[in-house]
Amino acid sequence: VSTQSTGWFKIGATSAALSVLLGAFGAHGLKNRVSDPARLKTWETAAQYQFYHSFALLLLSFISSSSSPSSLSLSPSINFIGGLFLGGIALFSGSLYALVLTEKKFFGAITPIGGLAFVGGWCALAYRGI
């Protein structure tokens, strides 16, 4: 098992656990602070996308660990793809969490950048193949 695959596994698992905690907070704790159903739905969307892409990071760890020695030259692409997914989590989900908590509309302008990072990660994964 490579350091690279262990790293993405730890990041993905930690992010997945955090998304469960944030989702639970949104479903239970946030309802006392936020009365607008649209804002609660936004929080739910952030947690869901964080969760989905945490699993994408876990997938990368398995791809990285199952790579044959001849494909190790492709390992930088794993880091690039992981960076896109992780950046997407930070920018997409993070901006939505911030938008709900602060009601500062400029966070909404950051969200599509995170969405593009997600799409880029999936496209790069498709291009790389397994």
Side-chain angles (χ1 to χ4, degrees), residues 57-76:
L57 292 172
L58 293 172
L59 173 67
L60 285 182
S61 75
F62 291 112
I63 292 171
S64 179
S65 68
S66 66
S67 294
S68 67
S70 64
S71 68
L72 287 180
S73 62
L74 297 176
S75 63

Side-chain angles (χ1 to χ4, degrees), residues 4 71-82 128:
Q4 181 182 41
S71 68
L72 287 180
S73 62
L74 297 176
S75 63
S77 68
I78 293 292
N79 287 332
F80 177 73
I81 295 165
R128 182 199 187 275

Side-chain angles (χ1 to χ4, degrees), residues 43-114:
W43 187 277
E44 182 182 333
T45 299
Q48 286 176 339
Y49 275 74
Q50 180 177 351
F51 193 70
Y52 302 150
H53 291 88
S54 297
F55 273 93
L57 292 172
L58 293 172
L59 173 67
L60 285 182
S61 75
F62 291 112
I63 292 171
S64 179
S65 68
S66 66
S67 294
S68 67
S70 64
S71 68
L72 287 180
S73 62
L74 297 176
S75 63
S77 68
I78 293 292
N79 287 332
F80 177 73
I81 295 165
L84 286 170
F85 286 141
L86 190 58
I89 290 169
L91 295 172
F92 183 89
S93 296
S95 66
L96 291 179
Y97 294 136
L99 178 65
V100 170
L101 292 174
T102 67
E103 295 187 72
K104 304 276 187 203
K105 300 292 182 196
F106 70 85
F107 284 115
I110 298 169
T111 307
I113 299 167

